Amino acid sequence: MSPEPNAPDDTEASSAPDGADEPAATAETTELDADETTDSSSPYTLQREDGSETHHAFWADDVADRVEDRDPDEPIVIKGGISPSGVPHLGNVNEIMRGYFVAEVLRERGHEVTQVFTADDRDPLRGLPRTLCDLEGNLVDLGEVNAGALGRNLGSPYTDIPDPFGCCESYGDHFSQIIEDSAAAVDVPIEFVSTTELYESGDLEEITRHVLENRDTAREVLSKYQDKVEENGEYVPFNPICEECGKITETVTDVDLEAGTVEYRCTDMDAGDQTIEGCGHEGTATLRDGKLPWRFEWPAQWQALGVDFEPFGKDHAEGSWPSGIDVAENVLGIEPPVPMVYEWFTLDGEPFSSSAGNVILVSDVLELIEPEVLRYFFTKDPSKARDFSVERLDLLVDEFDRFEAVYYGEVEASEDERAFAERVYPLVVDEPDEDRIRLPYTFAAVLGMTDDPALREEIARREGHIPENASEQAIEDALGRVEQARNWARRTENEFDYELKREAIPDHDFDATTEIALEELADFVEEGHGPDEIQEEIYETAKRHDVDMGSFFGAGYRLFFDEEQGPKLGPFLAKVDREFVVARLRRER
RNA sequence: GGGCCGGUAGCUCAGUUUGGCAGAGCGUCUGGCUUUUAACCAGACGGUCGCGUGUUCAAAUCGCGCCCGGCCCGCCA
């Protein structure tokens, strides 16, 4: 627990040579020639000073340079991966999109690239998630599924646990499926690999055998990073699955590589603050009936899949990455991939947390914005922490619209901005179309106040957002944003969350003068007038009757939206069918 | 406590490698759109670049020290 007993080890393992950002690895020299180029172990790829390389407008080009420097075999393999432990949120999409942009850049440079994603689904379930979700992305409380069945499976691999929703082969498959759907939704071609499948098919068997053959070295290497692993202890880097209770076990009592088996005893497993009890069974397992501990499994995946580049969250940067390099080089004898640390996102200022309900899935996001806007979000500098703000999603969409307009040369922009747009936009949008139409997001939200598609289009035209000669397709695409902005207004209950109350008249209480004024306004509307005339008449009517301007508008918003405020009233009323407006102003229905 | 990453306008972010006048969008304010009610247009306001210090003709940018936030240094992934 305390670092004291291991102080010397610890120092060697985790403190970098002065000034260099080299964490751990083998106890190399302290003086790496001067500064740069030698430091291949730092995962902070984008921060690396590397005078010899050109400065690119897009970070993925910097990464691609590094990948090319390795002179990789083709196809170049780019990996990402997570454990399908529960609701996959937007932060997990980093594992897909960050790699995707690097893959695209390399493809552009003429390389053949395969992007793979490992579902680390042989990992054991270590705790009960409070919230799950179905394949449609609807959040479901643990209590609504068979929690007992899940509880009995604590400690078992995700792929051995029945799907609580009953729709997939296993718990692991269920959440892997959602991740696959997410990748498809943002249009990223990526090959999904089940880690369980890698074990069962034997693709990891030789590597597992190698690790066990060299378990003394493996133990020595890992002991530099993990206190529980004693340099001269009994640690065996393999966790069999108990044939009796199905749980991942941690106590291997004997290794027989001739037979390709290990002997084990099913003992208790620490999982956070609780203990998952082992059944005590003693048995024999093959090298396919278990898993490597993560610190070995990750490098083993690199070897099995031939990984050249992998992005990972900052939680790995000072932990499993340094040990991963060490394992790769000194246990497996392979070159680790080019790394890249990405910072974490927050959601509306708070960390992602499925237990606290602070999650958003890709499917949720795509109800609010177009896929290209989401893809754009992931082009931003990975080394900076960022907030994905649903509340202020309009800012992100505005930013994207500007990014797009800069690309088409429609607005003035700085050199940096232009260079970024020119480089990145074609990677974000599949088929660039100069004639696309983008309704400003908040304007789209205003249009969302009415359900009538024809009315939406008409207002958009009148306000000059749709050119005369626009194609039907372009208009349809543009109006798609109205639904999204409408969903956004509803979800956030923001100032655009007005809804024309057609079906029933809202409760209201006006004084006599206001009622008379409303009658007159009804008469005026009934005569048939244009939007500006109605707007003007609202002012005139209020003045004539000496009704306070604010409260008169307020009366209108009350009648039509059941709100204090709303969109510009005259033009809006002019567009809604006259019969209804007149009746509503007379408070007849 | 140690290592690492980050901190730029009210908000969202560029700019930091390669030192050269502090930038954009949104918001706000003012004005325009014939006359207070959120869509459109124009303009303005807005920053000790986390703090201090060093180097330099010149520092958001480079060095050193500190502050704040996050991650790792147990386990697990």
Side-chain angles (χ1 to χ4, degrees), chain A residues 61-263:
Chain A
D61 276 299
D62 290 327
V63 175
D65 286 349
R66 296 279 307 276
V67 174
E68 285 184 327
D69 285 348
R70 292 162 51 94
D71 209 7
D73 293 337
E74 311 238 344
I76 293 172
V77 176
I78 288 176
K79 184 178 115 55
I82 60 169
S83 176
S85 57
V87 185
H89 55 67
L90 193 65
N92 300 135
V93 178
N94 272 305
E95 295 285 333
I96 294 170
M97 288 307 301
R98 299 301 190 178
Y100 170 72
F101 285 116
V102 175
E104 283 296 286
V105 165
L106 286 166
R107 286 180 187 122
E108 251 186 16
R109 296 185 188 187
H111 299 285
E112 192 187 335
V113 183
T114 305
Q115 191 180 354
V116 300
F117 183 96
T118 52
D120 297 331
D121 49 10
R122 187 152 264 195
D123 297 346
L125 176 68
R126 303 172 54 79
L128 294 181
R130 205 176 303 174
T131 310
L132 303 167
C133 66
D134 64 22
L135 290 185
E136 275 69 54
N138 302 304
L139 296 182
V140 171
D141 200 78
L142 178 63
E144 296 174 47
V145 300
N146 191 341
L150 265 188
R152 283 191 294 281
N153 281 292
L154 280 174
S156 295
Y158 291 119
T159 38
D160 288 345
I161 301 171
D163 180 6
F165 296 89
C167 52
C168 301
E169 294 272 303
S170 69
Y171 184 99
D173 286 353
H174 181 91
F175 291 105
S176 296
Q177 184 62 51
I178 296 173
I179 300 165
E180 286 197 49
D181 293 346
S182 302
V186 289
D187 203 19
V188 171
I190 184 167
E191 184 186 325
F192 281 80
V193 174
S194 154
T195 303
T196 291
E197 180 62 27
L198 289 180
Y199 283 110
E200 288 180 346
S201 66
D203 286 356
L204 285 173
E205 188 167 7
E206 281 315 302
I207 300 171
T208 304
R209 179 184 296 275
H210 178 88
V211 169
L212 287 175
E213 272 167 0
N214 297 278
R215 56 187 182 277
D216 289 344
T217 314
R219 186 196 315 120
E220 274 171 42
V221 168
L222 194 61
S223 70
K224 290 187 284 184
Y225 306 92
Q226 296 196 336
D227 288 349
K228 84 161 185 184
V229 179
E230 292 169 31
E231 205 173 332
N232 301 307
E234 300 285 297
Y235 180 80
V236 177
F238 186 71
N239 302 133
I241 298 168
C242 176
E243 62 191 343
E244 193 68 25
C245 68
K247 290 177 180 156
I248 300 275
T249 68
E250 293 180 329
T251 309
V252 171
T253 52
D254 195 25
V255 178
D256 183 350
L257 290 175
E258 291 278 307
T261 57
V262 301
E263 305 293 315

Side-chain angles (χ1 to χ4, degrees), chain A residues 13 55 101 148 195 226 235 248 271 290 304 323 338 342 375 380 403 426 434 493 501 507 532 535 544 564 583 587:
Chain A
H55 177 51
F101 285 116
T195 303
Q226 296 196 336
Y235 180 80
I248 300 275
S323 73
V338 171
Y342 59 81
R375 286 158 64 99
K380 291 158 169 273
F403 165 69
E434 196 160 7
E493 298 180 347
K501 295 283 191 280
D507 289 341
D532 296 339
Q535 179 73 6
R544 268 201 310 277
E564 312 289 320
R587 284 147 292 122

